[in-house]
Amino acid sequence: MKKRFSEEQIVLILREAQSGQKTVEQLCRDHGIAAPTYYAWKRKFGAMDEPDVKRLRELEKENSRLKRLVADLSLDNQVLKEFPRGNY
């Protein structure tokens, strides 16, 4: 599923709500989102600024790369344990 809004856009929408110029209902209507979506975003990104969001994205990418690396090394280790050690 393709995300409709980037993390930076979400943070800007949340900042717009914090300014107090619009109600949450007006903001949701203007951006075409549901109120539960707004509150889920607020729970996840509420205390973040744009640089924090970029850093979060970088950390998530690095975390997924490291998880793949650990999975590959675990598989290699498992294969090496299956081969008997002996003189060939």
Side-chain angles (χ1 to χ4, degrees):
M1 180 168 88
K2 185 180 183 299
K3 293 183 180 181
R4 193 167 145 195
F5 296 97
S6 70
E7 287 88 356
E8 289 86 1
Q9 290 171 326
I10 292 170
V11 169
L12 290 175
I13 291 170
L14 293 174
R15 294 294 160 256
E16 187 178 341
Q18 286 179 348
S19 70
Q21 296 175 351
K22 295 183 181 180
T23 65
V24 172
E25 291 80 19
Q26 289 173 332
L27 190 72
C28 291
R29 191 173 34 254
D30 291 346
H31 293 285
I33 59 173
T37 301
Y38 167 80
Y39 290 110
W41 288 352
K42 186 176 178 182
R43 186 173 49 250
K44 185 173 181 181
F45 299 107
M48 293 185 180
D49 292 325
E50 290 181 46
D52 297 334
V53 172
K54 290 178 183 180
R55 180 69 179 142
L56 175 65
R57 187 181 311 128
E58 290 172 5
L59 289 172
E60 286 174 345
K61 284 181 184 179
E62 183 179 2
N63 191 26
S64 65
R65 184 185 64 82
L66 291 173
K67 282 183 179 181
R68 281 192 305 273
L69 182 62
V70 167
D72 289 343
L73 290 174
S74 296
L75 183 62
D76 291 345
N77 191 14
Q78 184 73 24
V79 168
L80 289 174
K81 285 182 179 179
E82 290 179 7
F83 285 109
R85 295 181 188 252
N87 294 334
Y88 290 96

